[in-house]
Amino acid sequence: MRLRNPSTMLILPLVVLLSVWCAQARKDGPRISKTKFENPTSNLFYFEDTDVLLVQDRDAGNVWRSDDAGETWDKVKDVDEGEAWDLWPHPYDNKVAYILGLRTQHWVTEDQGKSWRDFETVATPTLFRPPLSFHAGDSGKVLMQGQACTGWECKEETYYTTNNFKTMYTLREDTRGCIFAHSTPLFRSSNDDTNDDRILCVVKGRYSPWPSDNRLVVSDNFFETEMEPALEGDRTVQGIISMAVVKGFLVAAAKAENTVELALYVTDDAKTWHRAEFPNDQKLEEEAYTILESTNYSIQVDVMTTKPTSAMGVLFSSNSNGTYFTRNIEHTNRNFMGLVDFEKIQGIQGIVLVNVVKNWEEVERTHLGNKKIQSKISFDDGRTFQAITTGKKELHLHSVSDISNVGRIFSSPAPGLIMGIGNTGDYLKNYDEGDLYVSDDAGLTWRKALDEAHKYEFGDQGAVLVAIYDEGPTNKISYSINHGKDWDTADLDENIRAQLLTTTPDSTSLKFVVMGTSSGGEEREHFIFSIDFDGLHEGKCKEKDFEKWYARLDEDGKPDCLMGHKQFYRRRKADADCFVDEEFKDPLPQYEQCTCTEEDFECDYNFVPGEDRNTCTPAGRLPISEDDCKNIEDTFMGSSGFRLIPGNECNPKGGVDLEKPIERPCRDSVQTPASGKVSSEIVKFSANDFREYYYLERGSTSTADDETVVMRTDMQEIYISRDHGKTWKEIMVYEDITAIYPHQYISDIVYFLTGTTKVHYTMNRGDTFGTFDAPEEPNQDRLQIIGFHPDYQDWLLWTGAVNCQGLDSADCHSVASVTEDRGDHWQTMLRYVRKCEFIKREGRGGNKELEKLVYCEQFKDEKLDSPLQLLSSTDWFSESQVHFPDIMDFATMSEFIIVAAKDTDQKSLKVDASVDGKTFADAQFPSNFNVPVQKAYTVLDSSTHAVFLHVTVGSRENFEYGSIIKSNSNGTSYVMSINGVNRNTPGYVDFEKMQGLEGVAIVNIVANLEQAEKGQAKKLKTMITHNDGAEWALLHAPDKDAEGNDVACDNGDLQKCSLHLHGYTERKDPRDTFSSPSAVGLMMGVGNVGEYLTRKADGDTFITRDGGVVWHAVKKGNYMWEYGDQGSIIVIVEEETATDVIFYTLDEGVTWVEYKFADSKMQIGDISTVPSDNSRNFLLWGKEVGSGSEIATVNLDFTGLTDRQCHLVEDPPDAEDSDYYLWEPKHPSQTDNCLFGHVSQYHRKKPEADCYNGRLIHQLHNIARNCSCTRQDFECDYNYERQSDNSCALVPGLQPADHSAICATDPSRTSYFEPTGYRRIQLTTCEKGRELEYTSKEHPCPGREEEFKKEHSGLSAVSLFFAIVVPILVAGGVGWYLWRNGMGKFGRIRLGEVGDAESPWIQYPIMAVSAVVAVVSATPLLVGSLWRSVSGLWGGGRRYTTRSSFARGRADYAVVDPDEDELLGDEDEEEV
């Protein structure tokens, strides 16, 4: 097998020369020499068309060279001893290779390794993808992927050279891989081979570090300028995770959030892109597809259809532009690494070998992986497959998933010669039970060559076959010079275990190389053998020794046609007594033209092939000319649906012509206009109430068009709708489903729980269902039952109940178990637990070890009356670490882990925080924040890289309130944000972040604190912040009410006349938020204008279009609202009032239209749509007035209003034909649209545009500029408090924090500033101006005085907010970087995701709802079996769900919403 791409080579033994031995040359045997090396060797490769080899000694860090096909070896010169870290050949220049150092010094040879020139790079080679990318037309042009590190923080950058690293320049920063479009000889973006300089890069999102925001950018001038290509229609696509050039195709894969489904985009010119379309019942999933060796006219993709533990797939082939894929064969065998048993026979068109799983039904059912594998071969390019036979017996061969050598498995450039290891019988046996088989007619017939398994190789265009025993040590090789009919042996003079057998890549040489290890003696010895067959025959072949060999025969044994021709070779006859002896002259195929047949045609563009490949149907409405179809009943001459496959050479004379235009009806091409109307559908159910419902929303990469909802009634009936509630189907009719658990991270997956161990699930939004048995019945502690891992969809945590039968079960407790295969196998982790969570998050848990990081609360010594301790483990609790011996609870949110632990006095609580999941630090509260006994915390939000924590101050029942304090970036140092914030008895807080817009939040404060403490009713006021809690202000009241009248107070007096809104504590459903992440700048609420908030029943409905600066009255009365089509549609309906109408607006609430949805009035309890608010369908949930025990859903469909999708122009964004404008949010006290130190520009649909948004738009278009710093970019520092004039003053009696602590935590710093009372807000990017943290005196760091004198004022302001007494240390920097950048994703384009560091300011809109929490009491948890029996499995409670993740808490099982405002404690405890 020939060495091809070094990135696919096995790492095998390597390097230091000791001796050379030559066997006595024999007339009837090869000449053999050996070289001994001190260390194992690897990365052996030939320079193409030469006898020059390079091999690497990784242990010693050296490279060795041979110029005589491995007979003698010398260490390469000019390279520093021990510095060779990696070795790369140039794939298109047989004189060039590269030695990469681990640091910044590297070497290049341009004379096949005789001499080496060193070059320096700015960055070290990246560890996360191949470091070099090559230009196929100009070998001097190379891209290098590097990583530039400062301390532990690293960023990927790409560099380029046009002269093989004589000079090198930065190409672009923040890259995730770059390639030349002309990366293969077959792919070009222009006709100029050497000057085709188009480069494509996957880069970090504009203003987001997350992989879901990665972009694809293109440049023709080495990124002096760049553009983002439109991949889907006229829109760009985010979430690009990988790209590759495959023959004549360039492929990019995109991943969306909340789904494992990928979108594949294909181009054949790097200009025009199309999405690859697969059959509707098949989708691509991350880590579940492999792009295989393809042809010049088609892409082959294998898509996994089962779990990785028993991996099988379906093989697809595309049409000639890679747009449409059809099935070739099902149940292909693949392994867990994605390697597929598939190989095209080299040099011969149309012959393919695959392995399939015979017992596929059993494997799909059991997932045990006991596959019975059979081998199949196709002679017609995968259209049909047949068994491989030797005589009358079926033959089965080991293939790619069980590779034992390097390079190709079966074939070589030797025409028609194929070898393989396998056995006859019903199915494939183990490798060591196989024998060596050979075919010399391209797989049509086979014969046994040698007993036992061997490595094998082809030489002299197939005239010589060489094999070496591969089941253990051997001291000989076997060879054949007549196509494997007869075999001889030759001695090696060493007993070795063969590691590799290879020859020149073109298989034209008579010389072979064996690499092996001898285990004789105490130490292993490493050898490379050179085997030379020159002289075995006396002469060189003459013309009479060759035959005309046709590569492919039909069932009648006649030459067969493919791509319009018959293929044949001039090949040496098997029994010829001669060698071809034309070294480095590749055998070339010759062709005879065929007459055109149906097989020479494919479906034309915009036509979809049928499964039988014989029909082509329109994919959409066909284009027509202006002169055609004046009447819809007319016909026109249009495409037949077929075209000749590009590159096909068939002769049309006398053959089939499927390209002729045909007559088509005009109705197939004239689009029916939109009706301009809203429609509705009512469905009734025999039940009293809806218990829960969840949307299984498609990701943006999904090819389906369903809008799926699952719902459970109070009768335990489960319904599913695929059309957003227009029709419903009852599922699992005979199952007693007690709870629905959507997957927290993958919206396609949902679990259905019963009161037993039986669990139902669907992985594909209800298309199919499966079951598994849980280890125990669901717990009765009202704990979350299933926990989900963010990266591995089949990893589940299960918290079940043990010893809980009957009322007297005193030892009833919960047990946590884990599965890595979706319930096939379970492992018990801990007993006597309260809750367990996976800790891996984006921003936390970076390296491979921490993928299994789990935190659990467990009762000490497994006693229910003992303290609750917090433990963690990275191996499913085979070993564990106790972090805190006595806690109340812990919460995870974004990158933070917050722990509420009991203080030493056992009467109060303290807070600890971690950002790496391993190291915790005490939270330092403001020194003037004196709460004698801290009893309750509510973690509100951390989406802006700072924790907002509500600390209960007033705890009198029904009169609760508290203070919101805000942390620094590691959650350890808090400053006061706002006092007196309203809270209810269960612990929920009137606090909500605006989704999609950074730093805006709304709270309700208790204005009469003293009176409320004494039992008077709370008087609430609503306040808003536009700078992430640094400043708060009352909401300005609208000038007019909903009926156009002046408001009933002086809105110039904010204290007496402002707008107040009802907040989170009064919501029935947490999903009913003020704002939407896809409707940037819009908020709605119910409230009143006046001095205080009044009853909700007396409230009116209001809207803001500018992020809360200006508010407008919408309707008199209390309305519920929902956003649709990214805010272009807003629907409102009266809450809990008999009604038969809704109102909707298409212009952001300027005008409202009434729509009657029912003939009789209904009482509506909720209105909903998909979590992204991107649908044009809505659902009303309610019941007809007077209907008794009957409930109903009402679908509202707005798709009839328009059928035109909005046109988005990114550059220039103000183009006249664009349906969007750029909107800039601003702080109300500023005039320059600066918010957080920059001017942000968001895409918003023009209200007057008659179109729909469709695919989710990435609203943040640009950061126009950074602004000068102002007071609004700062908040008060630790030990400082805000004054009435908004200045920050030191709290009386306290001392400023010691800012010299920065010097100890940041060794790179040479100076620090004295405290000024101000610290930068986490989100701000302001520059210069009023830099309030630098207005004090600067001091040198201890021991850095001399450097300070030299640098003096040349210091930057890095992380002053870390200057608290002991900030938390961010551990595992290297591991963090490895995780963040997606280590280990090489080779096939089934590459996984890549990541990046956090942005210093951008809010990723994770959550905006307030406080799924409960009171934290300082008293121990009281556990009673009687309470469990009454309140456990079937207990009551409210439904806890979230808009963005729809992770759920519910009436039957109380669940804390993951990554939302979280629970710290138990809501049923009494307070001290």
Side-chain angles (χ1 to χ4, degrees):
M1 304 213 168
R2 287 124 335 277
L3 294 169
R4 287 305 198 189
N5 185 341
S7 67
T8 65
M9 294 181 184
L10 299 176
I11 296 178
L12 303 173
L14 245 325
V15 224
V16 164
L17 179 63
L18 291 182
S19 65
V20 176
W21 167 85
C22 294
Q24 286 289 333
R26 300 182 304 170
K27 293 181 181 180
D28 56 352
R31 188 168 66 92
I32 300 176
S33 62
K34 70 177 180 181
T35 303
K36 184 177 178 182
F37 293 84
E38 288 185 355
N39 299 310
T41 53
S42 65
N43 263 4
L44 183 146
F45 68 84
Y46 284 87
F47 285 96
E48 186 90 17
D49 293 338
T50 73
D51 283 331
V52 180
L53 290 131
L54 294 180
V55 74
Q56 185 178 2
D57 177 350
R58 283 187 178 273
D59 290 359
N62 296 316
V63 172
W64 292 76
R65 179 179 184 270
S66 171
D67 59 8
D68 51 12
E71 188 169 337
T72 60
W73 292 87
D74 297 297
K75 189 188 299 183
V76 299
K77 302 176 181 179
D78 308 321
V79 177
D80 294 352
E81 178 74 22
E83 293 298 317
W85 174 66
D86 204 1
L87 177 62
W88 282 80
H90 196 295
Y92 307 114
D93 191 328
N94 69 348
K95 295 182 179 180
V96 179
Y98 306 89
I99 295 175
L100 301 183
L102 190 56
R103 290 174 285 275
T104 59
Q105 187 179 19
H106 319 283
W107 296 264
V108 59
T109 179
E110 296 176 288
D111 55 8
Q112 298 175 347
K114 293 179 183 178
S115 62
W116 295 81
R117 167 173 49 85
D118 70 331
F119 62 93
E120 290 280 340
T121 58
V122 177
T124 59
T126 182
L127 301 175
F128 315 114
R129 63 199 86 256
L132 300 176
S133 298
F134 303 95
H135 192 286
D138 185 343
S139 63
K141 295 175 180 175
V142 185
L143 304 179
M144 180 176 180
Q145 323 290 335
Q147 56 189 41
C149 300
T150 304
W152 63 269
E153 178 66 22
C154 297
K155 290 185 178 181
E156 281 196 87
E157 298 177 349
T158 301
Y159 307 89
Y160 76 94
T161 177
T162 59
N163 52 18
N164 246 329
F165 295 104
K166 293 175 182 174
T167 56
M168 188 174 67
Y169 308 94
T170 299
L171 181 73
R172 198 187 190 283
E173 298 179 345
D174 291 325
T175 56
R176 305 292 177 269
C178 296
I179 59 174
F180 286 103
H182 193 15
S183 287
T184 71
L186 292 175
F187 191 98
R188 291 184 173 90
S189 60
S190 75
N191 293 323
D192 188 342
D193 192 54
T194 58
N195 294 315
D196 184 355
D197 290 334
R198 174 156 290 201
I199 297 173
L200 301 96
C201 293
V202 178
V203 300
K204 188 179 74 171
R206 277 197 179 96
Y207 312 108
S208 165
W210 309 125
S212 56
D213 293 308
N214 285 352
R215 301 180 299 130
L216 180 68
V217 292
V218 178
S219 177
D220 292 319
N221 53 16
F222 297 100
F223 282 88
E224 292 181 15
T225 60
E226 68 179 46
M227 56 87 66
E228 191 171 355
L231 302 185
E232 189 140 349
D234 62 354
R235 299 192 180 181
T236 60
V237 173
Q238 292 190 353
I240 304 297
I241 59 172
S242 57
M243 61 179 173
V245 177
V246 184
K247 292 290 182 75
F249 305 94
L250 199 159
V251 182
K255 181 183 183 300
E257 286 193 298
N258 301 323
T259 182
V260 294
E261 186 172 0
L262 301 182
L264 211 61
Y265 297 93
V266 183
T267 179
D268 55 10
D269 60 5
K271 299 179 181 68
T272 303
W273 293 78
H274 307 285
R275 177 166 180 166
E277 300 290 341
F278 287 80
N280 291 334
D281 61 345
Q282 192 66 60
K283 62 182 182 180
L284 294 182
E285 294 188 358
E286 186 180 14
E287 298 296 321
Y289 77 102
T290 304
I291 295 184
L292 303 166
E293 177 191 15
S294 300
T295 66
N296 299 352
Y297 49 87
S298 180
I299 305 174
Q300 274 67 50
V301 177
D302 189 85
V303 180
M304 188 168 69
T305 57
T306 59
K307 291 184 179 180
T309 52
S310 55
M312 295 186 296
V314 178
L315 177 64
F316 293 90
S317 291
S318 77
N319 61 350
S320 64
N321 63 8
T323 304
Y324 297 110
F325 285 77
T326 53
R327 283 182 179 85
N328 290 106
I329 189 169
E330 297 190 83
H331 318 304
T332 52
N333 184 56
R334 49 191 290 144
N335 65 15
F336 71 96
M337 297 174 61
L339 298 176
V340 181
D341 284 348
F342 169 95
E343 182 175 317
K344 287 183 174 293
I345 300 305
Q346 188 174 1
I348 301 175
Q349 288 182 317
I351 302 182
V352 181
L353 277 77
V354 300
N355 281 347
V356 297
V357 179
K358 179 182 179 182
N359 61 330
W360 59 270
E361 291 174 307
E362 176 189 348
V363 173
E364 284 183 346
R365 184 174 62 253
T366 62
H367 303 297
L368 296 178
N370 296 319
K371 295 184 284 190
K372 295 181 179 180
I373 296 171
Q374 296 181 327
S375 296
K376 303 290 182 182
I377 191 168
S378 172
F379 295 97
D380 56 7
D381 218 19
R383 290 181 175 85
T384 61
F385 284 85
Q386 64 191 54
I388 300 174
T389 58
T390 174
K392 295 183 179 180
K393 297 179 180 179
E394 289 193 9
L395 175 64
H396 311 290
L397 301 170
H398 290 270
S399 186
V400 179
S401 66
D402 192 19
I403 191 169
S404 61
N405 203 6
V406 293
R408 288 181 172 271
I409 303 299
F410 304 115
S411 60
S412 78
L417 272 294
I418 310 175
M419 287 193 282
I421 303 299
N423 58 270
T424 58
D426 293 331
Y427 55 87
L428 186 63
K429 299 178 183 179
N430 292 333
Y431 182 79
D432 57 8
E433 298 180 70
D435 301 315
L436 178 63
Y437 287 82
V438 65
S439 170
D440 64 353
D441 54 10
L444 188 63
T445 61
W446 294 75
R447 59 177 172 269
K448 184 191 285 190
L450 293 170
D451 291 330
E452 312 292 351
H454 288 68
K455 297 184 189 299
Y456 46 87
E457 192 51 279
F458 308 81
D460 195 45
Q461 300 186 29
V464 180
L465 307 182
V466 179
I468 187 167
Y469 180 67
D470 198 28
E471 296 182 22
T474 184
N475 61 359
K476 63 182 180 180
I477 62 164
S478 300
Y479 62 93
S480 171
I481 56 176
N482 59 1
H483 291 187
K485 297 176 183 177
D486 303 296
W487 292 80
D488 292 313
T489 62
D491 291 334
L492 292 176
D493 194 39
E494 291 286 348
N495 200 39
I496 64 164
R497 185 67 168 90
Q499 304 285 333
L500 176 147
L501 167 62
T502 191
T503 185
T504 57
D506 56 14
S507 291
T508 62
S509 176
L510 288 165
K511 300 172 184 177
F512 297 78
V513 170
V514 172
M515 185 185 295
T517 299
S518 171
S519 57
E522 297 182 358
E523 295 185 1
R524 289 190 174 188
E525 296 179 318
H526 312 286
F527 296 95
I528 293 180
F529 295 84
S530 173
I531 304 167
D532 188 354
F533 286 89
D534 190 20
L536 198 62
H537 280 304
E538 293 183 358
K540 182 176 178 179
C541 293
K542 299 179 173 54
E543 191 60 36
K544 65 181 178 62
D545 298 310
F546 291 90
E547 62 181 348
K548 183 179 182 180
W549 178 77
Y550 282 94
R552 198 174 44 258
L553 304 178
D554 61 18
E555 57 272 14
D556 298 323
K558 297 179 180 179
D560 196 16
C561 296
L562 186 70
M563 287 296 288
H565 53 238
K566 301 171 185 176
Q567 184 183 22
F568 65 91
Y569 282 91
R570 174 180 174 268
R571 191 176 77 166
R572 170 189 173 272
K573 295 176 182 178
D575 297 319
D577 188 17
C578 60
F579 283 136
V580 178
D581 199 17
E582 294 179 350
E583 195 171 31
F584 313 131
K585 183 178 179 181
D586 295 357
L588 297 176
Q590 300 178 60
Y591 302 99
E592 295 175 358
Q593 191 178 29
C594 299
T595 302
C596 293
T597 66
E598 288 85 352
E599 293 184 352
D600 296 309
F601 295 85
E602 67 175 6
C603 290
D604 201 355
Y605 180 69
N606 210 32
F607 285 80
V608 181
E611 281 295 314
D612 59 0
R613 297 193 180 191
N614 295 323
T615 58
C616 296
T617 57
R621 299 196 178 275
L622 301 179
I624 55 177
S625 69
E626 294 181 0
D627 298 328
D628 288 329
C629 294
K630 300 299 183 182
N631 189 310
I632 196 171
E633 300 300 326
D634 291 344
T635 61
F636 71 100
M637 296 302 292
S639 170
S640 67
F642 291 92
R643 70 171 181 177
L644 190 69
I645 299 172
N648 191 292
E649 300 173 349
C650 70
N651 186 352
K653 292 183 179 181
V656 174
D657 184 7
L658 297 183
E659 288 186 302
K660 289 182 179 179
I662 63 173
E663 193 172 53
R664 291 187 174 275
C666 285
R667 65 171 58 91
D668 291 347
S669 296
V670 177
Q671 185 169 338
T672 303
S675 66
K677 297 178 181 179
V678 180
S679 61
S680 58
E681 292 283 345
I682 300 177
V683 181
K684 298 179 181 180
F685 305 88
S686 296
N688 296 308
D689 191 17
F690 298 107
R691 280 295 175 89
E692 55 185 339
Y693 66 85
Y694 304 97
Y695 283 87
L696 309 184
E697 184 175 10
R698 295 174 289 109
S700 61
T701 54
S702 175
T703 55
D705 58 1
D706 62 286
E707 293 187 353
T708 301
V709 192
V710 291
M711 172 264 290
R712 183 173 68 95
T713 71
D714 63 345
M715 305 300 292
Q716 309 291 49
E717 295 169 334
I718 307 297
Y719 292 87
I720 187 170
S721 173
R722 308 309 301 272
D723 53 12
H724 210 133
K726 293 178 181 176
T727 59
W728 292 87
K729 177 184 177 182
E730 187 175 0
I731 56 176
M732 292 175 275
V733 178
Y734 300 107
E735 300 291 342
D736 188 16
I737 303 300
T738 58
I740 303 175
Y741 262 75
H743 196 289
Q744 182 181 344
Y745 304 101
I746 308 296
S747 58
D748 300 334
I749 305 173
V750 62
Y751 294 86
F752 301 87
L753 275 57
T754 66
T756 68
T757 58
K758 188 175 183 180
V759 178
H760 300 261
Y761 65 86
T762 176
M763 306 296 290
N764 47 26
R765 299 194 307 280
D767 283 345
T768 58
F769 292 87
T771 63
F772 63 77
D773 289 323
E776 291 91 19
E777 293 183 358
N779 72 80
Q780 299 186 13
D781 290 332
R782 302 175 67 190
L783 305 173
Q784 181 163 334
I785 295 166
I786 305 180
F788 304 99
H789 195 282
D791 293 341
Y792 299 100
Q793 64 183 34
D794 291 337
W795 288 17
L796 305 174
L797 298 179
W798 179 271
T799 306
V802 172
N803 298 334
C804 296
Q805 293 75 27
L807 298 178
D808 299 325
S809 302
D811 192 38
C812 175
H813 63 275
S814 296
V815 175
S817 304
V818 66
T819 177
E820 296 182 46
D821 52 16
R822 202 190 315 146
D824 287 349
H825 305 88
W826 291 93
Q827 177 180 339
T828 300
M829 294 195 307
L830 286 178
R831 297 171 174 83
Y832 294 86
V833 300
R834 194 167 72 172
K835 75 172 179 182
C836 293
E837 286 187 24
F838 289 114
I839 298 300
K840 178 79 180 288
R841 294 285 194 279
E842 281 186 303
R844 186 193 330 124
N847 58 32
K848 201 74 176 176
E849 173 194 359
L850 297 186
E851 288 183 342
K852 291 187 177 182
L853 180 62
V854 175
Y855 271 54
C856 284
E857 299 172 349
Q858 183 190 39
F859 293 100
K860 187 177 181 181
D861 300 326
E862 298 189 352
K863 296 179 180 179
L864 294 173
D865 56 355
S866 296
L868 199 64
Q869 55 187 2
L870 181 64
L871 301 87
S872 72
S873 174
T874 58
D875 57 7
W876 308 145
F877 288 91
S878 295
E879 297 181 1
S880 62
Q881 175 184 358
V882 177
H883 293 277
F884 297 93
D886 194 354
I887 71 165
M888 291 308 302
D889 213 335
F890 76 95
T892 60
M893 182 176 295
S894 296
E895 65 264 49
F896 299 101
I897 304 172
I898 308 296
V899 178
K902 291 183 182 178
D903 214 340
T904 53
D905 60 6
Q906 292 290 302
K907 295 181 179 180
S908 187
L909 297 177
K910 68 185 185 73
V911 170
D912 289 78
S914 174
V915 293
D916 64 1
K918 296 189 295 185
T919 309
F920 283 86
D922 293 336
Q924 304 294 320
F925 283 4
S927 297
N928 62 327
F929 181 59
N930 296 315
V931 182
V933 180
Q934 296 174 22
K935 300 177 181 179
Y937 305 135
T938 301
V939 185
L940 299 172
D941 179 86
S942 61
S943 58
T944 53
H945 307 297
V947 176
F948 281 83
L949 187 68
H950 182 278
V951 182
T952 296
V953 176
S955 57
R956 181 173 176 173
E957 188 172 356
N958 295 322
F959 298 92
E960 297 88 355
Y961 68 91
S963 298
I964 292 179
I965 55 178
K966 180 189 174 187
S967 80
N968 60 354
S969 63
N970 57 24
T972 59
S973 172
Y974 289 80
V975 295
M976 182 63 67
S977 181
I978 187 169
N979 285 311
V981 179
N982 184 49
R983 200 210 85 180
N984 63 11
T985 299
Y988 300 94
V989 179
D990 278 343
F991 171 95
E992 183 173 323
K993 281 289 190 76
M994 185 176 188
Q995 299 183 77
L997 193 62
E998 51 190 353
V1000 179
I1002 289 177
V1003 298
N1004 282 339
I1005 64 167
V1006 180
N1008 60 332
L1009 290 178
E1010 292 185 6
Q1011 293 81 0
E1013 286 275 16
K1014 298 175 182 178
Q1016 292 187 18
K1018 297 179 190 176
K1019 294 182 178 180
L1020 304 182
K1021 286 176 175 282
T1022 300
M1023 303 191 78
I1024 190 170
T1025 178
H1026 293 272
N1027 56 2
D1028 211 35
E1031 298 174 305
W1032 295 86
L1034 294 166
L1035 296 181
H1036 284 271
D1039 294 329
K1040 304 287 184 180
D1041 65 14
E1043 296 175 346
N1045 302 316
D1046 292 337
V1047 295
C1049 58
D1050 179 9
N1051 58 11
D1053 183 0
L1054 272 180
Q1055 292 300 320
K1056 297 290 185 181
C1057 187
S1058 60
L1059 176 62
H1060 310 288
L1061 301 175
H1062 294 273
Y1064 194 91
T1065 59
E1066 297 182 73
R1067 273 189 202 141
K1068 293 185 303 180
D1069 192 331
R1071 291 175 280 197
D1072 300 331
T1073 54
F1074 291 139
S1075 59
S1076 164
S1078 65
V1080 176
L1082 299 180
M1083 281 194 286
M1084 292 195 72
V1086 172
N1088 61 275
V1089 173
E1091 187 174 2
Y1092 304 109
L1093 184 65
T1094 60
R1095 292 191 320 145
K1096 189 175 183 181
D1098 300 328
D1100 297 327
T1101 305
F1102 299 85
I1103 191 172
T1104 177
R1105 306 181 191 100
D1106 57 6
V1109 178
V1110 178
W1111 290 81
H1112 308 273
V1114 169
K1115 288 287 180 184
K1116 286 284 188 181
N1118 179 4
Y1119 284 78
M1120 298 178 290
W1121 61 89
E1122 192 60 84
Y1123 304 93
D1125 193 38
Q1126 304 173 55
S1128 77
I1129 306 169
I1130 307 175
V1131 179
I1132 62 174
V1133 63
E1134 283 192 275
E1135 181 176 0
E1136 300 296 350
T1137 301
T1139 184
D1140 57 2
V1141 299
I1142 56 99
F1143 295 89
Y1144 67 90
T1145 178
L1146 305 178
D1147 54 13
E1148 299 180 348
V1150 176
T1151 59
W1152 294 86
V1153 180
E1154 181 181 284
Y1155 172 74
K1156 185 174 181 179
F1157 62 81
D1159 294 329
S1160 56
K1161 292 187 180 295
M1162 294 182 63
Q1163 187 170 329
I1164 304 301
D1166 200 2
I1167 179 173
S1168 67
T1169 188
V1170 297
S1172 66
D1173 294 331
N1174 191 37
S1175 174
R1176 291 189 285 166
N1177 279 261
F1178 301 80
L1179 265 182
L1180 303 178
W1181 304 81
K1183 62 168 52 182
E1184 288 188 3
V1185 176
S1187 64
S1189 59
E1190 196 171 63
I1191 54 180
T1193 60
V1194 183
N1195 167 271
L1196 302 172
D1197 187 347
F1198 288 78
T1199 58
L1201 291 180
T1202 181
D1203 54 12
R1204 184 176 74 85
Q1205 185 171 4
C1206 299
H1207 180 52
L1208 174 64
V1209 181
E1210 289 278 358
D1211 187 20
D1214 57 353
E1216 289 187 7
D1217 61 339
S1218 177
D1219 291 308
Y1220 297 86
Y1221 70 99
L1222 292 182
W1223 174 72
E1224 298 178 355
K1226 63 181 178 181
H1227 194 286
S1229 64
Q1230 295 178 206
T1231 59
D1232 56 2
N1233 286 1
C1234 286
L1235 193 61
F1236 298 111
H1238 50 263
V1239 176
S1240 303
Q1241 296 177 326
Y1242 293 84
H1243 288 296
R1244 291 227 317 221
K1245 176 180 167 288
K1246 296 175 182 177
E1248 68 275 10
D1250 183 19
C1251 59
Y1252 68 94
N1253 284 306
R1255 180 184 175 88
L1256 274 172
I1257 298 165
H1258 310 293
Q1259 283 100 341
L1260 183 57
H1261 167 75
N1262 188 33
I1263 300 299
R1265 61 185 174 86
N1266 282 339
C1267 306
S1268 297
C1269 296
T1270 67
R1271 170 64 181 87
Q1272 281 70 37
D1273 295 302
F1274 295 86
E1275 60 192 2
C1276 292
D1277 201 356
Y1278 186 67
N1279 282 353
Y1280 288 79
E1281 62 183 357
R1282 188 167 59 246
Q1283 306 298 297
S1284 59
D1285 62 354
N1286 266 340
S1287 65
C1288 297
L1290 188 65
V1291 176
L1294 299 180
Q1295 296 296 318
D1298 180 10
H1299 279 197
S1300 66
I1302 295 177
C1303 300
T1305 59
D1306 184 0
S1308 66
R1309 294 191 64 88
T1310 58
S1311 68
Y1312 65 93
F1313 287 84
E1314 292 180 1
T1316 64
Y1318 300 90
R1319 71 180 186 188
R1320 283 178 176 249
I1321 295 170
Q1322 296 284 342
L1323 300 178
T1324 190
T1325 60
C1326 70
E1327 302 171 335
K1328 300 180 180 179
R1330 296 185 63 194
E1331 296 185 288
L1332 298 179
E1333 78 271 54
Y1334 302 136
T1335 57
S1336 60
K1337 187 176 180 180
E1338 186 180 9
H1339 298 276
C1341 286
R1344 310 293 295 273
E1345 289 80 5
E1346 291 301 320
E1347 295 172 69
F1348 174 72
K1349 289 179 181 179
K1350 294 178 181 178
E1351 299 176 4
H1352 198 48
S1353 58
L1355 294 171
S1356 62
V1358 179
S1359 304
L1360 276 181
F1361 44 77
F1362 281 99
I1364 328 156
V1365 183
V1366 184
I1368 187 170
L1369 299 178
V1370 180
V1374 173
W1376 163 265
Y1377 182 57
L1378 288 172
W1379 165 79
R1380 198 186 57 190
N1381 288 275
M1383 179 61 173
K1385 312 293 187 188
F1386 296 101
R1388 299 163 305 282
I1389 198 176
R1390 24 165 243 109
L1391 300 178
E1393 61 187 17
V1394 292
D1396 191 27
E1398 295 178 346
S1399 165
W1401 59 267
I1402 283 295
Q1403 170 198 1
Y1404 191 78
I1406 298 171
M1407 280 295 153
V1409 245
S1410 171
V1412 178
V1413 320
V1415 175
V1416 177
S1417 173
T1419 59
L1421 177 65
L1422 302 176
V1423 180
S1425 59
L1426 179 62
W1427 177 86
R1428 279 194 176 86
S1429 300
V1430 176
S1431 306
L1433 191 58
W1434 319 116
R1438 64 178 289 176
R1439 177 177 59 211
Y1440 301 146
T1441 48
T1442 72
R1443 171 185 297 273
S1444 57
S1445 70
F1446 278 66
R1448 28 121 7 259
R1450 29 165 318 284
D1452 296 324
Y1453 304 99
V1455 177
V1456 177
D1457 288 336
D1459 212 20
E1460 197 181 314
D1461 315 332
E1462 289 216 32
L1463 172 67
L1464 288 182
D1466 187 277
E1467 63 182 76
D1468 295 302
E1469 291 180 0
E1470 299 176 358
E1471 297 184 342
V1472 293

